[in-house]
Amino acid sequence: MSYPHGAELYRGKAKTVYATDDADLLLMHFRDDTSAFDGEKKAALQRKGMVNNHINAFIMTRLAQAGVPTHFVRLVGPQDSLVRRLDMVPVECVVRNVAAGSLVRRLGVTEGLVLDPPLYELFLKNDALHDPMISEDHALAFGWASAAELKRMRELSLKVNAVLKPLFEAAGITLVDYKLEFGRHGGEVLLGDEFTPDGCRLWDAGSGERLDKDRFRRDLGGVVEAYEEVARRLGVDLPAAG
């Protein structure tokens, strides 16, 4: 199955976005590429794009069913999804349920510390500046988002947590943290980009085994196998290998 597309509009670290014959719709192609440390470490991992595409479709559908507006329209190929065109807000919203990653490095807190209520942070989406942490005042001062948009982004980010945290818990997985990106569409703020193990931390609830991109960052191996395990536990229907 394939979907006709036009010019390449954007090429990120692991996805390419193409125009379609509908000005309001884009084709989002999940490549097998993976990267870490602002693109300093790179690799191509077979089946990764397909697995992420299907996990993302599953998660976005669940979120939409729970009332979170998203840009996702439908799957149109093993590595392709049709999405609405958004005017993206250059701010990443991060929700943390457990201390890990940059939070531990910045503040010296213990990895694995449970955060209740969850911690909500903002970062400027800018690889050249290494995605610096910002406040809502920064976003307002520099025109990155309005007060109403920031309020809505926070509200939706925490609603995503309320939906996904128990979903992953039921699959024996701890949703440690995740990042979200939002965009404007017809006067509304929609969840954009993706929700996959590339952009969140997922730990096995029993063993603490990493089931996310930290396997790549830390040279643990078995990256795609871990992603496939996440898909299996969630009940994502993946195409057969080969």
Side-chain angles (χ1 to χ4, degrees):
M1 181 170 57
S2 63
Y3 190 90
H5 61 77
E8 179 179 313
L9 301 179
Y10 171 79
R11 186 177 183 86
K13 300 185 188 76
K15 297 189 302 297
T16 305
V17 177
Y18 297 94
T20 72
D21 58 5
D22 185 330
D24 191 50
L25 297 176
L26 303 174
L27 186 77
M28 189 163 69
H29 175 72
F30 287 78
R31 306 194 312 272
D32 287 337
D33 299 336
T34 191
S35 66
F37 313 120
D38 293 325
E40 293 178 10
K41 181 178 182 180
K42 300 178 182 178
L45 304 173
Q46 190 174 10
R47 285 178 58 83
K48 174 178 170 285
M50 178 277 294
V51 175
N52 272 355
N53 185 36
H54 284 76
I55 289 176
N56 179 67
F58 177 88
I59 294 293
M60 290 286 180
T61 299
R62 285 298 186 95
L63 291 174
Q65 291 170 346
V68 176
T70 84
H71 73 151
F72 177 79
V73 177
R74 66 180 185 274
L75 284 170
V76 294
Q79 293 177 234
D80 300 323
S81 284
L82 202 62
V83 299
R84 295 176 183 86
R85 183 190 292 263
L86 303 184
D87 172 23
M88 297 302 294
V89 177
V91 174
E92 295 179 344
C93 303
V94 174
V95 176
R96 302 181 185 276
N97 293 307
V98 180
S102 65
L103 181 67
V104 172
R105 294 191 297 273
R106 277 188 281 124
L107 301 181
V109 297
T110 302
E111 184 178 66
L113 176 69
V114 175
L115 305 171
D116 187 17
L119 185 62
Y120 177 74
E121 298 178 327
L122 299 178
F123 296 83
L124 177 64
K125 184 172 173 60
N126 188 314
D127 286 345
L129 298 177
H130 305 290
D131 298 337
M133 187 177 179
I134 61 171
S135 69
E136 289 193 356
D137 285 347
H138 287 104
L140 289 170
F142 298 113
W144 297 325
S146 70
E149 288 169 342
L150 290 166
K151 180 181 179 181
R152 183 62 170 157
M153 288 159 62
R154 179 187 179 95
E155 175 186 280
L156 291 175
S157 295
L158 295 176
K159 184 167 185 176
V160 166
N161 204 42
V163 175
L164 295 188
K165 188 179 176 184
L167 179 69
F168 280 104
E169 283 177 353
I173 298 171
T174 300
L175 179 57
V176 174
D177 58 33
Y178 57 89
K179 74 172 183 68
L180 302 176
E181 295 182 30
F182 294 91
R184 309 171 183 97
H185 182 273
E188 186 180 8
V189 172
L190 304 187
L191 176 61
D193 196 41
E194 66 176 277
F195 195 106
T196 71
D198 273 5
C200 63
R201 284 189 174 84
L202 304 170
W203 295 352
D204 179 87
S207 67
E209 180 184 6
R210 270 62 172 173
L211 301 172
D212 54 68
K213 198 165 73 170
D214 273 350
R215 300 198 67 84
F216 179 71
R217 295 185 185 99
R218 300 185 179 195
D219 296 316
L220 299 176
V223 177
V224 176
E225 290 81 1
Y227 288 22
E228 289 176 324
E229 175 65 11
V230 170
R232 184 191 68 78
R233 294 195 197 183
L234 289 175
V236 179
D237 186 19
L238 294 179

